[in-house]
Amino acid sequence: MANSELRLGRIRPAPENFLSDEQIQSVKEGRRDFLRKAFLGASAAMAVPAMARAAGPGDPAILNLPAWTTSLGLPVAANPYGMPSKYERGLVRRESPGLTRVGGSSVAFTPLQGLFGIITPSGLHFERHHQGWHDVDPSQHRLMINGMVKTNAVFTMDDLMRLPSVSRIHFIECGANTGMEWGNVAVPTVQYSHGMLSCSEFTGVPLKAILDMCGADYKKGRFILAEGADGSSMTRTIPMEMVESGEVLVAYGMNGEMLRPENGYPLRLVVPGVQGVSWVKWLRRIEVGDKPWGAKDEAVHYIDLMPDGLHRQYSSVQECKSVITTPSGGQILLDKGFYNISGMAWSGRGKVTRVDVSVDGGINWRPARLETPVLSKAVTRFNVDWVWDGKPAILQSRAVDETGYVQPSYGQLRAVRGTKSIYHNNAIQSWKVVESGEVSNVQVL
Amino acid sequence: MSRFSKTLMALFVGGATMAALAPAMAFDRYQGIGRPATASEVKAWDIDVRPDFVGLPKGRGTVDQGVELWETHCASCHGAFGESNEVFTPIVGGTTQDDIKTGRVKALVTGDAPQRSTLMKVPTVSTLFDYIQRAMPWTAPKSLKPDEVYAILAYILNLADVVPADFELSDENIREVQERMPNRNGMTTDHGMWPGAGAAKGGIGNGGKPDVKNVACMKDCKKEVQIVSALPDYAQDAHGNLAEQNRPVGQTRGKQTGTPAEQKGDAAPSAAAATLALANEKGCMACHGVSNKIVGPGYNEILAKYKGQTDAEAKLIAKVKAGGQGVWGAVPMPPQGHVKDEEIKQLVQWILEGAKAQ
């Protein structure tokens, strides 16, 4: 902490959340302490390192009482539906420029770089639509069950919400998450590299209960088709084994409230551990059948191209994966010293049992702390202590799930699957830290 | 009973006969919940077509009919020959006569095709029928009749030389067409990523066996670390200012990238950003790009055309409201009646001010 005294006379005013070119230059020259000085000027309370010793009379953020301490605040219900602080406005869903051509068939990524714990705030849940989204009138929404059942049936939302409900925490990850990175580094931050991942508490009815009511033919009907009510009426085939296990839910609730329209209000399918495309939104119909359907999103997309030119069809499970979210690409470390490396780990095959972290690009590894709760097919938060000595480093995390499967390296994945499969990239992510404190996205085999 | 609305009552009355059709429903456990579906209801929604053609409606359509329907309903987004890259990846291209013989698209192995078109990938012709019938045209899904779907599909297949120009596709000959699909043998299910029973037990795949195996080595796992890829220069600034995509407090800050942001302090999103959001919400952006043509002209083209014309605003407001064609080509803009007058005004003004994002 050599430079930690506050030299108040030399404070340079600066905006609190970005660095000027001049400041970046001074970082590159190794003058890292500028940061705290710069931040002090604009909003000292935010950025003073805790251990900084005050020179002179002390910290102006303490000495000069701020407006919020010396005036009346806003009344209750000023925001009838609460919103995040204005200082959090940078953490929003974003599109990756050039990835798609039209907003109605596109992706908006979750800002993982700013999230804590395991739950994704509903307003930040990633979005993927194929034909735009609608705010569906719940009183006009119906769920139909047909096919290999004794009775084709119709349920209203009133019906479904009267049935015994369960609430479960699960991750949902798009099969194409990290897809842009199969061949090489393509995007700067974890929002764009891993942000088609969210984790929520879903409330609804096990589909099994509904199929039981309709007298499903479980002997012959080993597949179900799920279909949405939007323009795309997206369809996906799901194995009956998953339905029978009770884990597939017809869900209306998300994080204590109804699903958000972008996430399928008022009804979506929850298929734990399976890629997001199967979690059909605006769910309107379930058909029981004896063969898979070969729908557009299982015969043209969500098929993984292998080096021999064959596509893998019906690949659905999201295998064990993890990523460090802080520090991560596009960020800058404030100074040498202590950091809490934090990240997320998940597996479509069950619980995460272990996460190891390396700061030397994978030569040596240390076990991270798994924070509770550790749930099956949910995001698990991991943390590990790190004292940065100011030297270059490469941060990696590697998750292991309860089946014993160890998250693979890029080299291992590419050896089997090549670089063109688009889907199911669960490789170990590397973040390079350079002396200036700048963190960037790199790939290590 | 007073708490039941009229519609519910009507349903219940109707329900009496419906229930009689199929008394087998297990109401016993969850009494009063759900009701049997009528045959017409199932017919209205169950439109899926499987690879074995279960669900395929009867019907027929010729390539010639398909050409016209394609021009009217599809060409604006997918190009006259299904080759367009503007709105989505091309539908046709990259397949050969030889592929039709073998059922394996060679360009998928050699990597020769610049992009993977739909026909290079799709193994099953049923998939195309099912999808066009349920989802296309993109802005008016489920508007095509079965015969029209047959005709359009015949045209697409003709573009790829799967069927000849004088072909009539029907529910009777579609199985023969399946035998000519260029990538019909191009799929494998030999993997461990199907979440149900494996093929040996009537399901799909190898029963969940992973294809890669890593071990959790902890010490001296390799000699050296080789960085094989880093963010290319052209991508450094492509995602906007990363400083503004991170929190202003915490362990880290975001890196300043792109053009330095104005120091706007706590200003709310600008009026321009709000109008862009409105344009997205109202569906304008599905057909117009800020600087590129999609179905309709790019906003930059509209600005260039009407710049300095004092009556442009009023004229364009009326046009957007009523829709119309002929100024930019034969493709019409549908009437935008779902958008309020003052919102149309706001949108047109925004276009005439350069359709800025900030």
Side-chain angles (χ1 to χ4, degrees), chain A residues 121-143:
Chain A
S122 295
L124 297 179
H125 189 299
F126 80 88
E127 288 180 79
R128 171 78 172 106
H129 318 303
H130 286 264
Q131 217 143 331
W133 61 274
H134 297 274
D135 198 352
V136 171
D137 177 351
S139 72
Q140 297 303 308
H141 189 74
R142 304 286 182 269
L143 174 67

Side-chain angles (χ1 to χ4, degrees), chain A residues 17-19 39 46-47 86-91 94 96-97 101-102 104-105 113-114 116 130-131 142 144 146 151-155 159 162-164 184-189 192 213 225 227 230-233 235 239 241-242 274 284-285 287 290-291 293-294 296 299-301 303 305 308 310-317 326 330-334 339-340 349 354 356 360-365 367 398 405-407 412 416-417 420 424 432 438 441-445, chain B residues 22 24-26 30-37 41-42 45-52 85-89 104 108-109 111 115-116 118 121-124 127 131 134-135 137-138 141-142 183 185-189 191-197 202-204 208 210-223 225-232 235 238-239 242-256 261 263 265-266 285-286 294:
Chain A
N17 63 346
F18 72 83
L19 307 179
F39 295 139
M46 289 180 149
K86 64 187 178 188
Y87 301 105
E88 296 293 310
R89 64 177 175 268
L91 297 165
R94 292 174 196 272
S96 184
R101 298 161 186 79
V102 280
S105 171
Q113 70 275 20
F116 311 115
H130 286 264
Q131 217 143 331
R142 304 286 182 269
M144 180 184 287
N146 76 312
T151 314
N152 296 329
V154 175
F155 297 85
D159 289 327
R162 277 166 73 184
L163 288 169
N184 52 270
V185 171
V187 294
T189 75
Y192 307 106
M213 280 175 86
L225 180 77
E227 179 181 79
D230 61 324
S232 77
S233 294
T235 44
E241 289 83 9
M242 280 198 81
V274 168
R284 76 166 191 181
R285 193 168 69 93
E287 183 172 342
D290 58 359
K291 290 202 183 100
W293 275 264
K296 188 264 277 177
V300 184
H301 301 281
I303 52 176
L305 180 60
D308 61 2
L310 288 173
H311 281 95
R312 287 184 177 172
Q313 201 176 14
Y314 302 112
S315 52
S316 306
V317 172
T326 324
Q331 296 183 332
I332 298 180
L333 299 177
L334 292 179
Y339 286 88
N340 176 45
R349 292 208 172 91
R354 174 168 154 196
D356 302 314
D360 60 10
I363 298 174
N364 298 297
W365 298 80
R398 179 184 68 196
Y405 175 91
V406 182
Q407 182 183 2
Q412 290 167 329
V416 179
R417 302 189 197 163
K420 294 188 176 153
H424 304 115
K432 183 172 93 170
E438 215 175 293
N441 185 2
V442 297
Q443 289 181 352
V444 168
L445 290 181
Chain B
M25 194 159 169
Y30 302 122
Q31 278 179 37
I33 292 184
R35 63 165 177 85
E41 286 173 336
V42 174
W45 276 10
D46 183 357
I47 56 170
D48 57 72
V49 182
R50 278 197 329 202
D52 57 4
N85 206 12
E86 291 260 351
V87 177
F88 204 66
T89 43
R104 284 286 304 272
L108 291 174
V109 190
Q115 289 197 70
R116 278 176 261 169
T118 310
K121 296 183 285 180
V122 67
T124 36
T127 303
Y131 181 65
R134 79 173 51 246
W138 203 48
K142 302 176 190 68
N183 203 37
N185 299 323
M187 298 286 142
T188 174
T189 52
H191 58 74
M193 288 161 81
W194 173 248
I204 293 173
D211 57 350
V212 290
K213 191 169 159 40
N214 193 3
V215 286
C217 165
M218 297 301 283
K219 245 185 109 52
D220 301 327
C221 302
K222 52 187 169 188
K223 289 230 162 54
V225 176
Q226 201 198 341
I227 293 177
V228 294
S229 178
L231 194 66
H239 286 73
L242 303 180
E244 293 173 351
Q245 302 177 23
N246 279 276
R247 193 165 275 129
V249 293
Q251 308 199 74
T252 58
R253 297 292 181 275
K255 182 187 166 195
Q256 179 82 22
Q263 297 178 24
D266 299 329
M285 305 304 287
I294 300 178

